[in-house]
Amino acid sequence: MRAIFDARQWQHDPKHFMANGVIKPSPEQPERITRLTHGATAAGCDFVAPKDAGLGPIAALHSPEYVTFLRNIYARWQHIDGAGAEVIPNIHPASRRDNYPKSAVGQAGYHQVDTACPIGAGTWEAAYWSAQTAVTGADMLAAGERAAYALCRPPGHHAFGDLAGGFCFLNNAGIAAERLRTRGLRAAILDVDVHHGNGTQGIFYDRDDVLTVSIHADPARFYPFFWGHADERGVGRGTGYNLNLPLARGTGDDAYLKTLDIALERVANFGADVVVVALGLDAYEGDPFQGLAITTPGFGRIGAAIAGLGLPTLFVQEGGYLCKELGQNLTSVLTGFEGA
Ligand SMILES: [Zn+2]
């Protein structure tokens, strides 16, 4: 299948990640690109660069003040006496209804939900091209391609309309789904990352025109904690158009695939024309996050099950962190899909 990637996505190189009170190197390393490129190429993908569709598709989901913040905050941060090399918040509003400050520190707290989305010199450029990669993938499907793989990095599914978090800045899968909708296609987002796609849920929570389904490790004891529970079904018109399928920590292939069947049945009942797969590979048994226990052949079964929908499919890269099998797991999903 066709694959999309832009070299400017290398420019985001986060240094800080805080876990359990300890500052560590970020798991969202640029090296992931090398592994994922090898994995996609081994599955027979041909890479092309994305077209530049401009800010329009990004602004369709993200607020003007948030986009301005992402574009400018790194330069503003440098004017703070003694500031560190990355924008990392140290204070947060208690609710989204609280006032919006003028201060760079205050705005960082407003727009960055956690410490896992540091903003450095190349973050905006990389996030912008990661989003364009998803948009070009959506346009390929709208033009009649059966499937495409968007190597989006940084990932996107933890980004809300005005909020970065969990290594994510722009919601690439959501941007692709909205782009498909504007092309007259009914899109469902199926999120198989080990973490709940809270940003995607938040963006579409009150809408019935894009279905959001997520299978993930139970947030009662796993990031992102505050979202991803089974009783979050949508609000207003969106009621019933968000489906969360949390799984116990350590769930393996067979139980996962049974749950995937429930997700796929919902996508089919929605009457989707196209499916956007938020493709995290961090449900892997050897992933550093250790949430679920999918095997490398299990990813092939996941790909094959998704192909069973018989729908044009855009794979949008989400998580999946440095381990020896990262590339193989991607190969497994894509070959499983194509072979089905
Ligand atoms: Zn993840």
Side-chain angles (χ1 to χ4, degrees), residues 262-292:
I262 296 167
L264 294 172
E265 191 181 338
R266 180 69 189 98
V267 171
N269 290 342
F270 175 67
D273 299 316
V274 290
V275 60
V276 176
V277 179
L279 180 61
L281 298 165
D282 44 8
Y284 179 52
E285 59 182 350
D287 187 89
F289 281 99
Q290 293 288 301
L292 299 175

PDB file of all heavy atoms in Angstrom, residues 262-292:
ATOM      1  N   ILE A 262     -16.334  -6.771  18.701  1.00  0.00           N
ATOM      2  CA  ILE A 262     -17.403  -5.869  19.175  1.00  0.00           C
ATOM      3  C   ILE A 262     -17.201  -4.480  18.562  1.00  0.00           C
ATOM      4  O   ILE A 262     -18.151  -3.847  18.087  1.00  0.00           O
ATOM      5  CB  ILE A 262     -17.387  -5.789  20.721  1.00  0.00           C
ATOM      6  CG1 ILE A 262     -17.700  -7.166  21.320  1.00  0.00           C
ATOM      7  CG2 ILE A 262     -18.361  -4.722  21.224  1.00  0.00           C
ATOM      8  CD1 ILE A 262     -17.403  -7.269  22.810  1.00  0.00           C
ATOM      9  N   ALA A 263     -15.952  -4.032  18.552  1.00  0.00           N
ATOM     10  CA  ALA A 263     -15.630  -2.717  17.978  1.00  0.00           C
ATOM     11  C   ALA A 263     -15.961  -2.678  16.487  1.00  0.00           C
ATOM     12  O   ALA A 263     -16.565  -1.714  15.993  1.00  0.00           O
ATOM     13  CB  ALA A 263     -14.148  -2.411  18.200  1.00  0.00           C
ATOM     14  N   LEU A 264     -15.605  -3.752  15.779  1.00  0.00           N
ATOM     15  CA  LEU A 264     -15.816  -3.777  14.328  1.00  0.00           C
ATOM     16  C   LEU A 264     -17.306  -3.849  13.993  1.00  0.00           C
ATOM     17  O   LEU A 264     -17.760  -3.254  13.005  1.00  0.00           O
ATOM     18  CB  LEU A 264     -15.063  -4.965  13.716  1.00  0.00           C
ATOM     19  CG  LEU A 264     -13.530  -4.875  13.827  1.00  0.00           C
ATOM     20  CD1 LEU A 264     -12.888  -6.186  13.385  1.00  0.00           C
ATOM     21  CD2 LEU A 264     -12.976  -3.702  13.021  1.00  0.00           C
ATOM     22  N   GLU A 265     -18.056  -4.534  14.829  1.00  0.00           N
ATOM     23  CA  GLU A 265     -19.506  -4.604  14.626  1.00  0.00           C
ATOM     24  C   GLU A 265     -20.128  -3.211  14.781  1.00  0.00           C
ATOM     25  O   GLU A 265     -21.015  -2.830  14.009  1.00  0.00           O
ATOM     26  CB  GLU A 265     -20.108  -5.577  15.643  1.00  0.00           C
ATOM     27  CG  GLU A 265     -21.559  -5.919  15.355  1.00  0.00           C
ATOM     28  CD  GLU A 265     -22.138  -6.876  16.402  1.00  0.00           C
ATOM     29  OE1 GLU A 265     -21.354  -7.580  17.079  1.00  0.00           O
ATOM     30  OE2 GLU A 265     -23.366  -6.890  16.535  1.00  0.00           O
ATOM     31  N   ARG A 266     -19.625  -2.447  15.757  1.00  0.00           N
ATOM     32  CA  ARG A 266     -20.139  -1.080  15.947  1.00  0.00           C
ATOM     33  C   ARG A 266     -19.803  -0.200  14.733  1.00  0.00           C
ATOM     34  O   ARG A 266     -20.617   0.606  14.284  1.00  0.00           O
ATOM     35  CB  ARG A 266     -19.559  -0.467  17.224  1.00  0.00           C
ATOM     36  CG  ARG A 266     -20.031   0.959  17.497  1.00  0.00           C
ATOM     37  CD  ARG A 266     -21.509   1.008  17.863  1.00  0.00           C
ATOM     38  NE  ARG A 266     -22.042   2.377  17.916  1.00  0.00           N
ATOM     39  CZ  ARG A 266     -22.718   2.971  16.913  1.00  0.00           C
ATOM     40  NH1 ARG A 266     -22.929   2.329  15.773  1.00  0.00           N
ATOM     41  NH2 ARG A 266     -23.162   4.193  17.050  1.00  0.00           N
ATOM     42  N   VAL A 267     -18.575  -0.351  14.217  1.00  0.00           N
ATOM     43  CA  VAL A 267     -18.166   0.424  13.029  1.00  0.00           C
ATOM     44  C   VAL A 267     -19.078   0.080  11.849  1.00  0.00           C
ATOM     45  O   VAL A 267     -19.545   0.969  11.116  1.00  0.00           O
ATOM     46  CB  VAL A 267     -16.686   0.145  12.674  1.00  0.00           C
ATOM     47  CG1 VAL A 267     -16.311   0.765  11.327  1.00  0.00           C
ATOM     48  CG2 VAL A 267     -15.769   0.666  13.771  1.00  0.00           C
ATOM     49  N   ALA A 268     -19.364  -1.210  11.691  1.00  0.00           N
ATOM     50  CA  ALA A 268     -20.223  -1.647  10.577  1.00  0.00           C
ATOM     51  C   ALA A 268     -21.645  -1.111  10.754  1.00  0.00           C
ATOM     52  O   ALA A 268     -22.252  -0.606   9.804  1.00  0.00           O
ATOM     53  CB  ALA A 268     -20.222  -3.170  10.486  1.00  0.00           C
ATOM     54  N   ASN A 269     -22.171  -1.179  11.981  1.00  0.00           N
ATOM     55  CA  ASN A 269     -23.532  -0.690  12.238  1.00  0.00           C
ATOM     56  C   ASN A 269     -23.656   0.813  12.035  1.00  0.00           C
ATOM     57  O   ASN A 269     -24.738   1.317  11.716  1.00  0.00           O
ATOM     58  CB  ASN A 269     -23.964  -1.021  13.675  1.00  0.00           C
ATOM     59  CG  ASN A 269     -24.182  -2.511  13.856  1.00  0.00           C
ATOM     60  OD1 ASN A 269     -24.333  -3.244  12.872  1.00  0.00           O
ATOM     61  ND2 ASN A 269     -24.187  -2.976  15.096  1.00  0.00           N
ATOM     62  N   PHE A 270     -22.567   1.518  12.258  1.00  0.00           N
ATOM     63  CA  PHE A 270     -22.545   2.974  12.055  1.00  0.00           C
ATOM     64  C   PHE A 270     -22.739   3.325  10.580  1.00  0.00           C
ATOM     65  O   PHE A 270     -23.157   4.425  10.234  1.00  0.00           O
ATOM     66  CB  PHE A 270     -21.202   3.511  12.572  1.00  0.00           C
ATOM     67  CG  PHE A 270     -20.950   4.969  12.347  1.00  0.00           C
ATOM     68  CD1 PHE A 270     -21.700   5.937  12.992  1.00  0.00           C
ATOM     69  CD2 PHE A 270     -19.932   5.389  11.484  1.00  0.00           C
ATOM     70  CE1 PHE A 270     -21.454   7.291  12.796  1.00  0.00           C
ATOM     71  CE2 PHE A 270     -19.673   6.731  11.279  1.00  0.00           C
ATOM     72  CZ  PHE A 270     -20.442   7.685  11.937  1.00  0.00           C
ATOM     73  N   GLY A 271     -22.443   2.349   9.718  1.00  0.00           N
ATOM     74  CA  GLY A 271     -22.564   2.625   8.286  1.00  0.00           C
ATOM     75  C   GLY A 271     -21.391   3.424   7.749  1.00  0.00           C
ATOM     76  O   GLY A 271     -21.545   4.249   6.840  1.00  0.00           O
ATOM     77  N   ALA A 272     -20.205   3.147   8.325  1.00  0.00           N
ATOM     78  CA  ALA A 272     -19.013   3.886   7.894  1.00  0.00           C
ATOM     79  C   ALA A 272     -18.682   3.589   6.430  1.00  0.00           C
ATOM     80  O   ALA A 272     -18.833   2.455   5.967  1.00  0.00           O
ATOM     81  CB  ALA A 272     -17.822   3.513   8.780  1.00  0.00           C
ATOM     82  N   ASP A 273     -18.249   4.632   5.719  1.00  0.00           N
ATOM     83  CA  ASP A 273     -17.705   4.468   4.362  1.00  0.00           C
ATOM     84  C   ASP A 273     -16.210   4.181   4.402  1.00  0.00           C
ATOM     85  O   ASP A 273     -15.661   3.563   3.491  1.00  0.00           O
ATOM     86  CB  ASP A 273     -17.895   5.750   3.544  1.00  0.00           C
ATOM     87  CG  ASP A 273     -19.348   6.127   3.384  1.00  0.00           C
ATOM     88  OD1 ASP A 273     -20.162   5.226   3.102  1.00  0.00           O
ATOM     89  OD2 ASP A 273     -19.672   7.326   3.552  1.00  0.00           O
ATOM     90  N   VAL A 274     -15.572   4.715   5.439  1.00  0.00           N
ATOM     91  CA  VAL A 274     -14.113   4.581   5.578  1.00  0.00           C
ATOM     92  C   VAL A 274     -13.789   4.414   7.057  1.00  0.00           C
ATOM     93  O   VAL A 274     -14.536   4.881   7.931  1.00  0.00           O
ATOM     94  CB  VAL A 274     -13.350   5.824   5.058  1.00  0.00           C
ATOM     95  CG1 VAL A 274     -13.421   5.937   3.547  1.00  0.00           C
ATOM     96  CG2 VAL A 274     -13.852   7.094   5.715  1.00  0.00           C
ATOM     97  N   VAL A 275     -12.658   3.751   7.333  1.00  0.00           N
ATOM     98  CA  VAL A 275     -12.227   3.632   8.723  1.00  0.00           C
ATOM     99  C   VAL A 275     -10.811   4.191   8.860  1.00  0.00           C
ATOM    100  O   VAL A 275      -9.944   3.958   8.006  1.00  0.00           O
ATOM    101  CB  VAL A 275     -12.344   2.173   9.242  1.00  0.00           C
ATOM    102  CG1 VAL A 275     -11.496   1.209   8.440  1.00  0.00           C
ATOM    103  CG2 VAL A 275     -11.996   2.086  10.716  1.00  0.00           C
ATOM    104  N   VAL A 276     -10.637   5.002   9.888  1.00  0.00           N
ATOM    105  CA  VAL A 276      -9.322   5.528  10.241  1.00  0.00           C
ATOM    106  C   VAL A 276      -8.866   4.743  11.466  1.00  0.00           C
ATOM    107  O   VAL A 276      -9.518   4.795  12.512  1.00  0.00           O
ATOM    108  CB  VAL A 276      -9.389   7.038  10.562  1.00  0.00           C
ATOM    109  CG1 VAL A 276      -8.025   7.543  11.033  1.00  0.00           C
ATOM    110  CG2 VAL A 276      -9.873   7.826   9.348  1.00  0.00           C
ATOM    111  N   VAL A 277      -7.788   3.991  11.316  1.00  0.00           N
ATOM    112  CA  VAL A 277      -7.270   3.195  12.433  1.00  0.00           C
ATOM    113  C   VAL A 277      -6.184   4.005  13.128  1.00  0.00           C
ATOM    114  O   VAL A 277      -5.152   4.314  12.527  1.00  0.00           O
ATOM    115  CB  VAL A 277      -6.705   1.850  11.952  1.00  0.00           C
ATOM    116  CG1 VAL A 277      -6.139   1.058  13.131  1.00  0.00           C
ATOM    117  CG2 VAL A 277      -7.778   1.039  11.234  1.00  0.00           C
ATOM    118  N   ALA A 278      -6.429   4.370  14.378  1.00  0.00           N
ATOM    119  CA  ALA A 278      -5.401   5.004  15.206  1.00  0.00           C
ATOM    120  C   ALA A 278      -4.510   3.868  15.699  1.00  0.00           C
ATOM    121  O   ALA A 278      -4.835   3.156  16.656  1.00  0.00           O
ATOM    122  CB  ALA A 278      -6.039   5.771  16.353  1.00  0.00           C
ATOM    123  N   LEU A 279      -3.413   3.671  14.965  1.00  0.00           N
ATOM    124  CA  LEU A 279      -2.622   2.448  15.085  1.00  0.00           C
ATOM    125  C   LEU A 279      -1.473   2.595  16.080  1.00  0.00           C
ATOM    126  O   LEU A 279      -0.344   2.903  15.700  1.00  0.00           O
ATOM    127  CB  LEU A 279      -2.082   2.032  13.705  1.00  0.00           C
ATOM    128  CG  LEU A 279      -1.232   0.763  13.668  1.00  0.00           C
ATOM    129  CD1 LEU A 279      -2.034  -0.442  14.146  1.00  0.00           C
ATOM    130  CD2 LEU A 279      -0.685   0.529  12.268  1.00  0.00           C
ATOM    131  N   GLY A 280      -1.783   2.389  17.350  1.00  0.00           N
ATOM    132  CA  GLY A 280      -0.712   2.250  18.337  1.00  0.00           C
ATOM    133  C   GLY A 280      -0.216   0.821  18.305  1.00  0.00           C
ATOM    134  O   GLY A 280      -1.007  -0.103  18.137  1.00  0.00           O
ATOM    135  N   LEU A 281       1.094   0.658  18.441  1.00  0.00           N
ATOM    136  CA  LEU A 281       1.669  -0.686  18.519  1.00  0.00           C
ATOM    137  C   LEU A 281       2.143  -0.968  19.946  1.00  0.00           C
ATOM    138  O   LEU A 281       2.851  -1.940  20.191  1.00  0.00           O
ATOM    139  CB  LEU A 281       2.829  -0.802  17.520  1.00  0.00           C
ATOM    140  CG  LEU A 281       2.404  -0.618  16.052  1.00  0.00           C
ATOM    141  CD1 LEU A 281       3.630  -0.382  15.169  1.00  0.00           C
ATOM    142  CD2 LEU A 281       1.603  -1.819  15.551  1.00  0.00           C
ATOM    143  N   ASP A 282       1.715  -0.114  20.877  1.00  0.00           N
ATOM    144  CA  ASP A 282       2.173  -0.257  22.265  1.00  0.00           C
ATOM    145  C   ASP A 282       1.316  -1.226  23.076  1.00  0.00           C
ATOM    146  O   ASP A 282       1.550  -1.409  24.270  1.00  0.00           O
ATOM    147  CB  ASP A 282       2.283   1.110  22.970  1.00  0.00           C
ATOM    148  CG  ASP A 282       1.110   2.016  22.716  1.00  0.00           C
ATOM    149  OD1 ASP A 282       0.110   1.571  22.119  1.00  0.00           O
ATOM    150  OD2 ASP A 282       1.180   3.211  23.113  1.00  0.00           O
ATOM    151  N   ALA A 283       0.337  -1.882  22.416  1.00  0.00           N
ATOM    152  CA  ALA A 283      -0.361  -2.997  23.081  1.00  0.00           C
ATOM    153  C   ALA A 283       0.505  -4.259  23.053  1.00  0.00           C
ATOM    154  O   ALA A 283       0.111  -5.303  23.576  1.00  0.00           O
ATOM    155  CB  ALA A 283      -1.711  -3.256  22.409  1.00  0.00           C
ATOM    156  N   TYR A 284       1.688  -4.142  22.467  1.00  0.00           N
ATOM    157  CA  TYR A 284       2.618  -5.274  22.343  1.00  0.00           C
ATOM    158  C   TYR A 284       3.092  -5.760  23.718  1.00  0.00           C
ATOM    159  O   TYR A 284       3.350  -4.944  24.612  1.00  0.00           O
ATOM    160  CB  TYR A 284       3.821  -4.834  21.500  1.00  0.00           C
ATOM    161  CG  TYR A 284       4.871  -5.895  21.319  1.00  0.00           C
ATOM    162  CD1 TYR A 284       4.544  -7.165  20.866  1.00  0.00           C
ATOM    163  CD2 TYR A 284       6.203  -5.614  21.604  1.00  0.00           C
ATOM    164  CE1 TYR A 284       5.520  -8.140  20.713  1.00  0.00           C
ATOM    165  CE2 TYR A 284       7.187  -6.567  21.440  1.00  0.00           C
ATOM    166  CZ  TYR A 284       6.835  -7.834  20.993  1.00  0.00           C
ATOM    167  OH  TYR A 284       7.801  -8.793  20.844  1.00  0.00           O
ATOM    168  N   GLU A 285       3.267  -7.065  23.841  1.00  0.00           N
ATOM    169  CA  GLU A 285       3.686  -7.658  25.123  1.00  0.00           C
ATOM    170  C   GLU A 285       5.067  -7.178  25.559  1.00  0.00           C
ATOM    171  O   GLU A 285       5.375  -7.179  26.747  1.00  0.00           O
ATOM    172  CB  GLU A 285       3.676  -9.187  25.037  1.00  0.00           C
ATOM    173  CG  GLU A 285       4.595  -9.738  23.962  1.00  0.00           C
ATOM    174  CD  GLU A 285       4.545 -11.271  23.858  1.00  0.00           C
ATOM    175  OE1 GLU A 285       3.948 -11.912  24.732  1.00  0.00           O
ATOM    176  OE2 GLU A 285       5.108 -11.805  22.884  1.00  0.00           O
ATOM    177  N   GLY A 286       5.903  -6.744  24.594  1.00  0.00           N
ATOM    178  CA  GLY A 286       7.244  -6.289  24.943  1.00  0.00           C
ATOM    179  C   GLY A 286       7.407  -4.780  24.909  1.00  0.00           C
ATOM    180  O   GLY A 286       8.516  -4.272  25.009  1.00  0.00           O
ATOM    181  N   ASP A 287       6.303  -4.045  24.774  1.00  0.00           N
ATOM    182  CA  ASP A 287       6.401  -2.581  24.755  1.00  0.00           C
ATOM    183  C   ASP A 287       6.785  -2.084  26.155  1.00  0.00           C
ATOM    184  O   ASP A 287       6.350  -2.651  27.155  1.00  0.00           O
ATOM    185  CB  ASP A 287       5.054  -1.968  24.335  1.00  0.00           C
ATOM    186  CG  ASP A 287       5.162  -0.468  24.147  1.00  0.00           C
ATOM    187  OD1 ASP A 287       5.482  -0.031  23.016  1.00  0.00           O
ATOM    188  OD2 ASP A 287       4.949   0.288  25.131  1.00  0.00           O
ATOM    189  N   PRO A 288       7.579  -1.003  26.218  1.00  0.00           N
ATOM    190  CA  PRO A 288       7.972  -0.490  27.539  1.00  0.00           C
ATOM    191  C   PRO A 288       6.793  -0.144  28.445  1.00  0.00           C
ATOM    192  O   PRO A 288       6.939  -0.172  29.669  1.00  0.00           O
ATOM    193  CB  PRO A 288       8.775   0.774  27.199  1.00  0.00           C
ATOM    194  CG  PRO A 288       9.193   0.632  25.777  1.00  0.00           C
ATOM    195  CD  PRO A 288       8.219  -0.274  25.103  1.00  0.00           C
ATOM    196  N   PHE A 289       5.619   0.175  27.881  1.00  0.00           N
ATOM    197  CA  PHE A 289       4.497   0.588  28.736  1.00  0.00           C
ATOM    198  C   PHE A 289       3.761  -0.574  29.402  1.00  0.00           C
ATOM    199  O   PHE A 289       3.041  -0.360  30.376  1.00  0.00           O
ATOM    200  CB  PHE A 289       3.531   1.493  27.961  1.00  0.00           C
ATOM    201  CG  PHE A 289       4.036   2.903  27.864  1.00  0.00           C
ATOM    202  CD1 PHE A 289       4.675   3.352  26.718  1.00  0.00           C
ATOM    203  CD2 PHE A 289       3.927   3.774  28.934  1.00  0.00           C
ATOM    204  CE1 PHE A 289       5.170   4.646  26.640  1.00  0.00           C
ATOM    205  CE2 PHE A 289       4.423   5.067  28.872  1.00  0.00           C
ATOM    206  CZ  PHE A 289       5.050   5.501  27.722  1.00  0.00           C
ATOM    207  N   GLN A 290       3.913  -1.802  28.865  1.00  0.00           N
ATOM    208  CA  GLN A 290       3.426  -2.994  29.575  1.00  0.00           C
ATOM    209  C   GLN A 290       1.953  -2.911  29.985  1.00  0.00           C
ATOM    210  O   GLN A 290       1.594  -3.246  31.122  1.00  0.00           O
ATOM    211  CB  GLN A 290       4.292  -3.229  30.828  1.00  0.00           C
ATOM    212  CG  GLN A 290       5.724  -3.623  30.507  1.00  0.00           C
ATOM    213  CD  GLN A 290       5.832  -5.043  29.955  1.00  0.00           C
ATOM    214  OE1 GLN A 290       5.441  -5.989  30.609  1.00  0.00           O
ATOM    215  NE2 GLN A 290       6.313  -5.160  28.721  1.00  0.00           N
ATOM    216  N   GLY A 291       1.109  -2.492  29.037  1.00  0.00           N
ATOM    217  CA  GLY A 291      -0.316  -2.398  29.353  1.00  0.00           C
ATOM    218  C   GLY A 291      -1.083  -3.654  28.969  1.00  0.00           C
ATOM    219  O   GLY A 291      -1.835  -4.210  29.769  1.00  0.00           O
ATOM    220  N   LEU A 292      -0.918  -4.110  27.729  1.00  0.00           N
ATOM    221  CA  LEU A 292      -1.570  -5.317  27.244  1.00  0.00           C
ATOM    222  C   LEU A 292      -0.481  -6.277  26.761  1.00  0.00           C
ATOM    223  O   LEU A 292       0.716  -5.971  26.869  1.00  0.00           O
ATOM    224  CB  LEU A 292      -2.571  -4.981  26.123  1.00  0.00           C
ATOM    225  CG  LEU A 292      -3.720  -4.042  26.549  1.00  0.00           C
ATOM    226  CD1 LEU A 292      -4.585  -3.661  25.341  1.00  0.00           C
ATOM    227  CD2 LEU A 292      -4.574  -4.662  27.646  1.00  0.00           C
TER     228      LEU A 292
END
